[in-house]
Amino acid sequence: MGSTVNVSDLLNQSYDLTDEMITQFRRDGFIKLKNVLDEATFAYYGEAVTRQVLANNKLEGIAMEDRDTYSKAFIQVGNLWEKCDVVKEFTFSKRLAKIATELMEVESVRLWHDQGLYKEPSGGFTPWHVDQQYWPMLTDRSVTAWIPLQATPLEMGPLEFGAGSQRMNIARELEISDTSEGVIDKAMERYHIPKIMEGYELGEVSFHLGWTLHRAGGNVTNKVRQVHTVIYMDGEQRMIEPRTKYHQADAAAWTPSTGIGEVMADEKNPVLY
Ligand SMILES: O=C(O)CCC(=O)C(=O)O
């Protein structure tokens, strides 16, 4: 009798990190891991993510030439897990959450939010930036799992990282824009920060810290670059007093019941590992 393999099994199986991988992540602020997921996962869960991204696409019908740099870069739809139970199963993967926990060297992780980032054919570059400038978090323990739902060669706009940039306080106040692209690029040259950009194989997933500089090139293929992301924070992460309009907006969107100084334990922030 053959045994049935459920498509969700892989999402809950352990992916074993080596000590070298954890050391590399601590040094570089990012890591790309091969064979984290597989084709069957993408066929089932990827389809559900795509359905939600298309159903909630606010850029529908707006021509590329009429958009600003940010909205040329991708269609962005957040908290997909609240909209669809299949996506919830994907976002709540213990396999991914365990990797995030071990890379951040913390005891547990909570969900900050998930989002689809779909770069359309002829979609523009994603400017250099750091994510954590938007988030009112006390410590640097936040990490994004960037999960391409197809192999992503250079022409499709994979992520590019500034290795070790999480330790350097560069342009942390700059929102994602043409200005951040130019200013950060110059600073990276000045401080000799290595820029690392490689395509992603099918099943490869990267993890980057909230303070790691990153960007992506444009999509010059005729296929959409489909990416799901899951953003984790330390299970003990606390909220600081919002300092910017982005802090305020993100606190309201992703952790509405958390008060200043409290652990961010809203019902939107379940412990995932
Ligand atoms: O997908 C992209 O082009 C950019 C993604 C990004 O900046 C992120 O996930 O932090």
Side-chain angles (χ1 to χ4, degrees):
M1 236 175 36
S3 63
T4 314
V5 177
N6 197 314
V7 73
S8 67
D9 287 354
L10 182 64
L11 291 185
N12 293 311
Q13 280 165 19
S14 174
Y15 182 96
D16 294 328
L17 293 173
T18 62
D19 289 346
E20 287 72 32
M21 287 169 172
I22 294 170
T23 305
Q24 183 186 331
F25 183 79
R26 202 185 295 145
R27 183 192 66 209
D28 294 342
F30 79 95
I31 193 164
K32 292 176 75 209
L33 300 171
K34 293 188 197 296
N35 300 314
V36 176
L37 297 172
D38 64 9
E39 206 162 345
T41 317
F42 298 133
Y44 183 64
Y45 295 101
E47 201 263 326
V49 172
T50 298
R51 205 165 340 109
Q52 289 305 320
V53 168
L54 295 181
N56 294 282
N57 175 13
K58 296 203 170 65
L59 297 171
E60 172 84 59
I62 305 178
M64 213 41 99
E65 60 269 24
D66 296 332
R67 301 188 198 172
D68 64 7
T69 298
Y70 192 100
S71 46
K72 277 187 177 125
F74 39 63
I75 303 167
Q76 177 177 25
V77 184
N79 265 12
L80 299 172
W81 68 276
E82 289 183 319
K83 306 182 203 305
C84 167
D85 283 344
V86 177
V87 180
K88 180 175 178 181
E89 217 171 81
F90 190 23
T91 294
F92 281 38
S93 158
K94 288 218 176 342
R95 183 175 177 85
L96 295 171
K98 175 172 176 284
I99 297 173
T101 307
E102 292 177 357
L103 289 175
M104 284 201 286
E105 302 180 76
V106 294
E107 294 294 314
S108 66
V109 290
R110 290 180 187 278
L111 179 64
W112 178 227
H113 57 276
D114 67 1
Q115 54 184 353
L117 295 173
Y118 278 40
K119 201 182 274 290
E120 296 153 276
S122 81
F125 67 98
T126 310
W128 282 114
H129 67 280
V130 284
D131 299 329
Q132 205 169 316
Q133 64 171 302
Y134 293 103
W135 307 333
M137 294 181 187
L138 181 63
T139 76
D140 67 353
R141 299 293 88 185
S142 68
V143 71
T144 297
W146 197 81
I147 310 158
L149 305 175
Q150 70 290 298
T152 306
L154 296 185
E155 309 80 61
M156 252 189 179
L159 280 193
E160 177 173 3
F161 303 96
S165 58
Q166 79 281 6
R167 286 189 300 274
M168 304 177 78
N169 190 339
I170 293 175
R172 289 191 171 179
E173 72 292 351
L174 287 183
E175 59 196 76
I176 302 178
S177 61
D178 291 321
T179 306
S180 73
E181 173 78 356
V183 169
I184 293 174
D185 199 59
K186 276 205 190 70
M188 291 179 78
E189 298 292 333
R190 186 170 337 117
Y191 297 113
H192 308 289
I193 299 173
K195 296 176 184 169
I196 312 294
M197 181 173 57
E198 289 156 4
Y200 288 61
E201 290 174 8
L202 188 79
E204 193 167 0
V205 174
S206 64
F207 291 78
H208 63 270
L209 284 171
W211 289 122
T212 302
L213 291 167
H214 58 286
R215 74 184 290 285
N219 180 3
V220 296
T221 73
N222 56 12
K223 296 204 173 71
V224 181
R225 188 213 67 181
Q226 306 178 129
V227 170
H228 185 52
T229 61
V230 184
I231 306 159
Y232 308 88
M233 56 185 173
D234 181 358
E236 295 301 312
Q237 185 64 267
R238 286 175 190 271
M239 188 161 97
I240 57 168
E241 182 162 6
R243 286 194 297 261
T244 64
K245 63 177 181 189
Y246 298 112
H247 280 183
Q248 241 149 19
D250 278 22
W254 312 128
T255 191
S257 70
T258 303
I260 294 163
E262 288 176 1
V263 172
M264 296 158 104
D266 188 87
E267 60 184 17
K268 289 178 184 286
N269 314 121
V271 172
L272 296 187
Y273 191 81

